[in-house]
Amino acid sequence: MMQLYWSPRSRSFSALWLMEETGQPYERVLTDISNGAQKTPEYLAIIPMGKVPALRDGEATLAESAAICAYVAERYPQANLAPPVGDPLRAKYLYWLFFAPGCIEPAMVQLATKIEMNPVAAGWGDAQLVFDVLDTALARGPWILGEIFSAADIAIGSGLNFAVRLFKMAPSRPSFERYIDRCAARPAFQRASIIAAG
Ligand SMILES: N[C@@H](CCC(=O)N[C@@H](CS)C(=O)NCC(=O)O)C(=O)O
């Protein structure tokens, strides 16, 4: 059984939502970042960054929320959380999966810190561009790939929920609100929210 190292009210939410979407049993290992559980030598031996979430699957261990999404979607293909290799939709799936940590996260940091960077040099361009691109993609809906829900929605939906609804770091837009509502209507999202509340 996979073990998910998690902490309440943290980025662990996406991994909790993911595991709940699979319908597979998993063990939750509480790693409370408010008391430093993520900095013990035992935990650092698994994940040297000392951050949650992290996942153990037998001999395999990994962290980074989007990587966990990709890994679990591959391990449980029956959960239909990723277009299979060879399906043209897989290209967009990978694009959006990487977009979450590669563009949404730094855009949020930019909004929070008001740091100015040359958008040509910054990998995410700038926050305005990131949220404009997302807005256009989500206006179609219902999911980031269109009709098909995937682990990319878990990465994007968690990021937007965090940035727009929970922490109000990014300006809201009608397409974001509708998308977050659709994510939040999923039973797996609701179960994960209860768990993540601690
Ligand atoms: N890039 C990581 C970020 C994980 C992360 O920053 N986790 C925070 C909680 S939201 C954490 O573990 N903080 C504890 C610490 O840095 O000591 C991911 O996407 O999973």
Side-chain angles (χ1 to χ4, degrees), residues 7-15 31-34 36 38-39 43 49-54 63-68 100-101 105 162:
S7 184
R9 296 171 297 284
S10 75
R11 285 181 179 82
S12 307
F13 174 75
S14 62
T31 308
D32 191 344
I33 60 174
S34 69
Q38 76 283 19
K39 302 297 183 196
Y43 191 76
M49 285 289 283
K51 287 190 172 281
V52 292
E64 292 300 323
S65 307
I68 292 173
E105 278 265 347
F162 192 84

Side-chain angles (χ1 to χ4, degrees), residues 111-130:
L111 290 175
T113 60
K114 307 200 176 1
I115 195 165
E116 295 282 341
M117 274 195 72
N118 176 355
V120 175
W124 67 99
D126 59 44
Q128 176 80 31
L129 175 62
V130 168

Side-chain angles (χ1 to χ4, degrees), residues 11-85:
R11 285 181 179 82
S12 307
F13 174 75
S14 62
L16 288 166
W17 179 14
L18 173 77
M19 295 311 296
E20 292 294 323
E21 288 282 355
T22 67
Q24 297 293 324
Y26 66 103
E27 182 189 348
R28 287 189 294 276
V29 182
L30 179 62
T31 308
D32 191 344
I33 60 174
S34 69
N35 65 22
Q38 76 283 19
K39 302 297 183 196
T40 63
E42 297 75 27
Y43 191 76
L44 290 172
I46 307 174
I47 300 300
M49 285 289 283
K51 287 190 172 281
V52 292
L55 190 74
R56 181 193 287 280
D57 179 23
E59 295 296 303
T61 55
L62 74 159
E64 292 300 323
S65 307
I68 292 173
C69 283
Y71 182 86
V72 170
E74 275 179 19
R75 283 283 279 116
Y76 296 132
Q78 65 275 33
N80 291 321
L81 290 171
V85 174

Side-chain angles (χ1 to χ4, degrees), residues 11 103-113 127 131 159 162-163 169-170:
R11 285 181 179 82
C103 296
I104 299 177
E105 278 265 347
M108 280 172 16
V109 172
Q110 183 170 35
L111 290 175
T113 60
F131 291 108
F162 192 84
M169 296 162 84

